[in-house]
Amino acid sequence: MSTAREPRGHGRKSRRGRPDQRHNAGPPRRRHGPARPPDVDPARQAAFELLTAVRERDAYANLALPAILRRYRLHDRDAALATELGYGTLRTQGLLDAIIEACTDRPMSHVEAPLLDALRLGAYQLLRTRIPPHAAVDTTVDLVRGRAGSRSAGFVNAILRRISQRDEAAWAAELAPPAEEDAVGHTAFRHAHPRWIAQAFLDALGPAGRAELDAALAADDARPVVHLLARPGEITAEELALACGGDPAPYSPYGVHLEPGTGEIGELDAVAEGLAIVQDEGSQLVALGLARAELDGPDEGRWLDLCAGPGGKAALLGGLVGLDGGTLDAVEQSEHRAQLVRRAVDGLPVTVHVADGRAAPLPDGAYDRVLVDAPCTGLGALRRRPEARWRRRPEDVPGLARLQRELLAAALRHVRPGGVVGYVTCSPHLSETVGVVTGALRRRDDVEQLDARDVLPGVPGLGPGPSVQLWPHRHGTDAMFLALLRRSR
Ligand SMILES: C[S@@+](CC[C@H](N)C(=O)[O-])C[C@H]1O[C@@H](n2cnc3c(N)ncnc32)[C@H](O)[C@@H]1O
C-alpha cells in the first residue's frame, strides 16, 4: 500500500469541518444539495488531468506529467501526491476497472470516459493509499461535480461508497479467477497485471517461474527506486552517492540508487551539471556487458549504437569508449529522439546519425562493438511506464520481433569479424529475446554466442545462460535482456 497522505491544507473541507471529524468509520456518506464550486486540491486535479492526457492523447505519463505539475505549480509533497495518484491509478487500471464494474449496474462502455477516470482515481485512493476513505470519496465527487454536474457526482459517489466497503484483498478474493483453475490469471489479477504479461513473465522465468511469479509481479507493481548513472570520467558513483544522498548501486560500478522521495531529480546539482543522468541499473549493466565482452583481436575503439534514442546507453558507451580515445556512431530513426541523443552525448566523441538502423549509411564489417537496444514491448520496464501495461497488446509482439530480427541482422553486418554485437531489450518476452537470437544464430554460421554471465561477475541469479535476463525482484533492475554474439574471424 502506498503511504500517500493528504498534503497539508489540501483535500480538507474547511467549510464543512474536517472530513475525518465528520465520519469516524464505515463507508463515507455524501450530502445531497445544490452544486457548489469545485473544492478540489490541485494535486488531484493534476492527477486527473494526467489520466485525461493518457486517455485522449495517448500521452506517455512520464513525459506529460512535468508540464502538468508546472501548470498547477506543484512542488514537493503536492507534486509527490499528484505523481503517486496519477501513476498509481494508471498502473492499476485493469484491477480498478474490474472492481468498478462489479459495483455498477451500467455496462462499463456506457460510463463516460471522464467519469471512469474519476472513478479510477477515487478507487485507487480507496484501495491503495492511506488517504482516509471520506477524503478519497469527497474529493473525487467534488471533482466530478465541478466538471460534470450533480447527477454524475451522485453516480460516482454511490460507486465509490460500494468500493470503500472492502479492501483490495477482499475484492481480489471475490473477483480474481480462482487460483486452482487459472493460477496465472489469479496472480496477474492480484498484482494488477494483464494475464498475457504475467504469462510472458512466467515463460521467461523458466522452471523456477511458478514459484517466482508472485514476487516478480509484486516487484513490477511497486514504485521503482530512481537510479542514476555517474558518467564515466566525470564523477565516481561514490562521489555521486555522497552528493545526492543515495547509495552506490550493488552491481553497476557507475550506478547510484536514490532514496525514495528525493524530489525533483533534475534539480540535483550533479544532474543539472551533466555529471549524472537518470538510468536504470539494468540498462547500465547491459551496456557495460557489451563494453566488457571479449573480442577476437584488438579493440580499435570503433563502436556503434544502432537504436540510440533517447541516448542513455549512448552516453555510457560514448563515455567509456572516449576514455580510451575511441568513438561511437549513434543511429536513431526519429529526428526528435536523435535530438535527445545529441543532448545526452554532448561533449562526448559521439556522432549522431538520423537513419533507419536496418539501412544506415555506415560501413559494413567495421565496428568492434555494436549495440542493438531494440524497440520492444517494454514489458521489462512497466514499473517505470505506468500506462504501458494496459496499452500494450499481445498483437504488438510479432511486428516488433520482425523489426528486432532485421535490426540484429544489420548489426551483424556492421560488426567486424571478431567483433561483438550486444542484443538488448527491455522486455523479457521470449519472442523478443531468445527467439530473435536463436533465429539469427540459425541463419548465420559465422556467429557464436558468448556467455553473457561472464561479463557480469558478482551479479547473482542470471539463469542458465548464455544470455542474461535481469529481473526487478531478483536484481532491483528493470527486466533487461542481453545476448552477446561474436562474429568469427
Ligand atoms: C529501446 S529504445 C533505445 C533506448 C536507448 N538505447 C537508450 O538507452 O536510451 C529503441 C529506439 O530505437 C528507435 N528505433 C525504432 N526503430 C528504429 C529503426 N528502424 N532504426 C533505428 N532506430 C529505431 C526508437 O525510436 C527508439 O528510440
Side-chain angles (χ1 to χ4, degrees), residues 308-319:
K313 294 182 197 69
L316 175 50
L317 292 175

Side-chain angles (χ1 to χ4, degrees), residues 277 279 283 287 305-315 317 331-335 337-338 341 344 353-360 371-376 378 385 400 403 406-407 424-426 480:
I277 58 172
Q279 186 174 64
S283 288
D305 180 349
L306 213 48
C307 303
K313 294 182 197 69
L317 292 175
V331 176
E332 167 57 47
Q333 187 176 37
S334 136
E335 169 55 50
R337 289 172 77 82
V341 181
H353 309 262
V354 181
D356 186 330
R358 292 169 292 183
L371 176 67
V372 185
D373 186 13
C376 68
R385 296 176 198 158
L400 284 164
L403 176 58
E406 292 167 3
L407 286 163
V424 166
T425 60
C426 60
M480 303 295 300

Side-chain angles (χ1 to χ4, degrees), residues 9 30 49 121 271 320 405 478:
R30 293 286 306 163
E49 198 168 315
L121 189 58
V271 175
L320 290 174
R405 283 195 295 275
D478 289 347

Side-chain angles (χ1 to χ4, degrees), residues 129-322:
T129 73
R130 293 187 188 168
I131 292 168
H134 44 73
V137 175
D138 286 0
T139 51
T140 309
V141 170
D142 286 343
L143 190 72
V144 171
R145 179 177 290 118
R147 289 164 191 256
S150 292
R151 270 177 69 99
S152 298
F155 170 70
V156 165
N157 181 47
I159 292 178
L160 291 182
R161 284 181 57 193
R162 271 177 229 150
I163 292 173
S164 73
Q165 285 162 6
R166 297 183 204 173
D167 64 11
E168 183 186 335
W171 280 115
E174 179 178 325
L175 299 175
E180 47 298 348
E181 283 171 26
D182 179 4
V184 175
H186 182 84
T187 309
F189 189 97
R190 284 191 27 246
H191 296 296
H193 278 68
R195 191 190 183 288
W196 74 276
I197 293 180
Q199 184 65 54
F201 277 33
L202 181 63
D203 296 343
L205 282 164
R210 287 261 168 232
E212 275 188 70
L213 185 61
D214 193 68
L217 295 183
D220 204 48
D221 207 24
R223 272 163 297 285
V225 171
V226 176
H227 300 170
L228 295 183
L229 169 80
R231 283 176 177 272
E234 299 287 347
I235 188 171
T236 67
E238 289 70 25
E239 290 165 345
L240 180 62
L242 268 179
C244 300
D247 292 311
Y251 309 123
S252 165
Y254 300 99
V256 167
H257 290 196
L258 291 181
E259 297 291 332
T262 298
E264 290 280 318
I265 310 298
E267 287 174 11
L268 294 172
D269 287 345
V271 175
E273 290 165 17
L275 304 176
I277 58 172
V278 173
Q279 186 174 64
D280 178 77
E281 188 182 2
S283 288
Q284 300 175 30
L285 289 175
V286 291
L288 280 171
L290 172 63
R292 290 170 178 166
E294 194 180 339
L295 308 183
D296 189 351
D299 188 342
E300 305 286 354
R302 227 177 151 189
W303 296 7
L304 170 63
D305 180 349
L306 213 48
C307 303
K313 294 182 197 69
L316 175 50
L317 292 175
L320 290 174
V321 77

Side-chain angles (χ1 to χ4, degrees), residues 45-72 90 113 117 120 387 391:
Q45 294 194 43
F48 183 74
E49 198 168 315
L50 181 68
L51 304 187
T52 308
V54 168
R55 176 174 48 75
E56 286 185 350
R57 294 190 273 116
D58 259 357
Y60 293 106
N62 60 337
L63 299 185
L65 184 66
I68 294 174
L69 294 180
R70 274 197 301 279
R71 203 159 46 251
Y72 282 90
L90 290 167
D117 283 344
R120 289 167 176 161
E387 74 289 344
R391 191 179 272 174

